[in-house]
Structure formats: structure tokens, C-alpha cells
């Protein structure tokens, strides 16, 4: 069995290096390939065959980490182009009064046969190129600020496999018009869509138990929201300054609602 396990590890490591070209371990580990195959850790001690090793790899415009032990990928960055190119595009657009060309992005479900399971913090942040994004089935987590300040982002498709959203994932995306949070997500984090001023349609499942601070603050186009039947907590300023909001029925389960959760929602209930 040990021989089989070592063969599997060798195959995964070979695949990782093939995918990465000059792939090498991250700075947080000094493990070498020969140590891995000899079933030893970075100090030369005996270790289980599937010791955790990750590689900085590149696939098309994606940079990702491959976790050898659990055999999954985390997308860590997407290259939208250099700052110089973006500045040049912006200058040209200003001169010609044309809109900068945008892209519709479908994140791959697998890379070289390995499933993509997570999107890292800030992976797609601060760009004016991304118009829409489809997150593939199999992704379970999108970390904090993954898409924040994506100023051209208008639509997002999230998979049913998603269970965890980090804080401010879609914060300051002024063109985002709708967000459908899958039923598998039970907690809406702080600042999720703060200042998404074009957000008109918001849906999430009946299993959501909490909405974090400022989650939808300053979403000035949001008119109605269905808060489900399992909600217990709404954090401070969760919907403050949602000036178009006319309907947000609180379920009987909502016992912990911050005093300013709906501050300055002057049309609410009218």
C-alpha cells in the first residue's frame, strides 16, 4: 500500500511540475521532491506519503496553488493586463469616448484534471475589464474581497456547491445589477455588496441565519428583499442607506436585529 501511495504522490507532483513549468514550493515550505518521495518531511523525519505541498502555478491567465495532499486547486490571481496597458486603454477611451472592452469570464472547473475548489482573497479584485463571471460547480469557498472594486462587473453566477463567502467579496462593484446567493450558503458576511449602487435584485436561500454588518449598505437601487424564514441576526448597518428599499419582511426568527440595520431606508414600509 505504501508503494502505491508513493506512486500516486509522484504522479501528482509530476503533473504539478508539468503544469507549472519551473514550478517550485511556496516560501512557506522547504520540502524537496526527493524528500516527498522518500516519505520524509522538511526536517528529514518520517512523514505520511501525502504530506501537504503546494505549488505556484500558471494556467492561461490564472495563477493557482495546487494542494497535492487533498488534490485540489485554489485560484489565487487572474492577470487582466499590466497597469500600463490599463492606463493606455483608459486614455484611449477618454479620447475616443469609447467604453473599454470588457470580458465575460468562466472560471475552469478543473485544471489538468484537478478540481478547482476555492477562490483566494483578492484573486479578481480591482479591475475595470471583467463584465461577468461564472464560478464553476465544485467551488466551495470564495474568500474575502475576491471581486471587490471590479467596476465593470454586471453579473455573477455562483454554483450550488458554494458554502462560504468571505467579507466584501463583491464590495464596491457599482455595475453589479443582481446577485443570487445559492441556498447552500447560510451566512451573509459583512460588507458583501457594500456600495453596489446598481444592485436591483437580491436573492438568497431560506437557510440563511445571519446577515453581517454593512452587507448591503448603500445599495441604493435595491427595492425589495426576501429575508427567508431562518434568519436570526442582522448586523449593524446591513441595509443602511438603501434609499429605494420598500419591502423587507422580517421573519419571526429574527430576534437580533441591529438598531441601525435599516437606517435611512425612508421608503421602507410605504
Amino acid at each position: 500500500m505504501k508503494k502505491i501511495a508513493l506512486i500516486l504522490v509522484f504522479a501528482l507532483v509530476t503533473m504539478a511540475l508539468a503544469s507549472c513549468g519551473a514550478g517550485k514550493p511556496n516560501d512557506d515550505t522547504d520540502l524537496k521532491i526527493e524528500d516527498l518521495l522518500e516519505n520524509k518531511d522538511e526536517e528529514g523525519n518520517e512523514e505520511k506519503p501525502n504530506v501537504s505541498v503546494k505549488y505556484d502555478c500558471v494556467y492561461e491567465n490564472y495563477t493557482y496553488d495546487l494542494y497535492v495532499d487533498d488534490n485540489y486547486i485554489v485560484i489565487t490571481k487572474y492577470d487582466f493586463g499590466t497597469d500600463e496597458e490599463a492606463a493606455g486603454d483608459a486614455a484611449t477611451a477618454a479620447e475616443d469616448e469609447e467604453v473599454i472592452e470588457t470580458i465575460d469570464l468562466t472560471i475552469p472547473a478543473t485544471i489538468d484534471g484537478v478540481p478547482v475548489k476555492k477562490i483566494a482573497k483578492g484573486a479578481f479584485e480591482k479591475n475595470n475589464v471583467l463584465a461577468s463571471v461564472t464560478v464553476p460547480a465544485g467551488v466551495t469557498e470564495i474568500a474575502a474581497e475576491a471581486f471587490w472594486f471590479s467596476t465593470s462587473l454586471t453579473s455573477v453566477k455562483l454554483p450550488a456547491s458554494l458554502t462560504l463567502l468571505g467579507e466584501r467579496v463583491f464590495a464596491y462593484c457599482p455595475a453589479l445589477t443582481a446577485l443570487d446567493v445559492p441556498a447552500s450558503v447560510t451566512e451573509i458576511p459583512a460588507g458583501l455588496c457594500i456600495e453596489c449602487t446598481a444592485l436591483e435584485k437580491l436573492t438568497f436561500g431560506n437557510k440563511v441565519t445571519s446577515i453581517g454588518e454593512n452587507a448591503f449598505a448603500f445599495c441604493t437601487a435595491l427595492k425589495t428583499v426576501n429575508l427567508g424564514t431562518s434568519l436570526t441576526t442582522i448586523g449593524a448597518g446591513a441595509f443602511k442607506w438603501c434609499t429605494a428599499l420598500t419591502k423587507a419582511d422580517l421573519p419571526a426568527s429574527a430576534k437580533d436585529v441591529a438598531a441601525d440595520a435599516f437606517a435611512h431606508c425612508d421608503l421602507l414600509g410605504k
Side-chain angles (χ1 to χ4, degrees):
M1 290 296 294
K2 183 176 180 180
K3 183 177 180 180
I4 294 174
L6 291 176
I7 291 172
L8 289 174
V9 172
F10 179 79
L12 285 171
V13 171
T14 302
M15 177 185 67
L17 294 179
S19 300
C20 303
K24 56 183 177 57
N26 282 350
D27 293 337
D28 60 355
T29 176
D30 294 325
L31 278 167
K32 298 179 176 62
I33 300 303
E34 56 266 31
D35 292 332
L36 179 64
L37 297 179
E38 289 176 5
N39 197 24
K40 294 179 180 180
D41 64 15
E42 59 193 66
E43 296 178 354
N45 301 315
E46 289 295 321
E47 185 58 89
K48 66 179 182 178
N50 287 357
V51 67
S52 178
V53 180
K54 59 181 179 178
Y55 295 85
D56 290 324
C57 303
V58 177
Y59 168 79
E60 296 183 347
N61 286 39
Y62 299 91
T63 302
Y64 65 91
D65 288 344
L66 166 64
Y67 288 78
V68 175
D69 56 347
D70 294 320
N71 193 31
Y72 71 88
I73 281 171
V74 178
I75 300 294
T76 57
K77 187 178 180 182
Y78 187 86
D79 183 10
F80 288 97
T82 65
D83 293 338
E84 291 78 8
E85 289 174 342
D89 288 343
T92 301
E95 292 175 1
D96 299 341
E97 296 184 353
E98 294 178 356
V99 177
I100 297 172
E101 185 177 354
T102 57
I103 63 173
D104 299 311
L105 189 65
T106 297
I107 298 172
T110 63
I111 296 176
D112 290 332
V114 181
V116 175
K117 286 191 176 181
K118 298 180 182 181
I119 310 297
K121 180 178 180 179
F124 299 87
E125 68 178 356
K126 297 180 181 179
N127 72 86
N128 62 350
V129 176
L130 185 61
S132 70
V133 60
T134 298
V135 180
V139 169
T140 60
E141 178 181 347
I142 302 177
E145 301 165 3
F147 295 94
W148 79 328
F149 283 104
S150 293
T151 54
S152 296
L153 184 63
T154 61
S155 65
V156 174
K157 186 175 181 180
L158 301 176
S161 57
L162 188 68
T163 59
L164 183 62
L165 282 166
E167 295 184 354
R168 300 176 299 280
V169 168
F170 301 108
Y172 311 109
C173 294
L176 186 63
T177 59
L179 183 65
D180 184 2
V181 180
S184 48
V185 175
T186 59
E187 296 182 359
I188 303 297
L192 178 65
C193 291
I194 187 172
E195 288 196 37
C196 290
T197 52
L199 187 66
E200 295 182 353
K201 184 179 180 182
L202 171 65
T203 58
F204 47 80
N206 280 329
K207 294 182 180 179
V208 167
T209 59
S210 65
I211 299 176
E213 295 182 2
N214 298 316
F216 304 102
F218 300 97
C219 291
T220 52
L222 187 62
K223 295 181 179 180
T224 65
V225 59
N226 184 349
L227 297 175
T229 57
S230 301
L231 189 66
T232 61
T233 304
I234 303 180
F239 292 93
K240 70 180 180 182
W241 288 105
C242 290
T243 52
L245 190 63
T246 60
K247 184 178 181 181
D249 294 334
L250 290 175
S253 57
K255 303 297 184 182
D256 184 12
V257 180
D260 65 343
F262 295 93
H264 307 289
C265 296
D266 296 337
L267 297 181
L268 191 60
K270 294 184 178 180

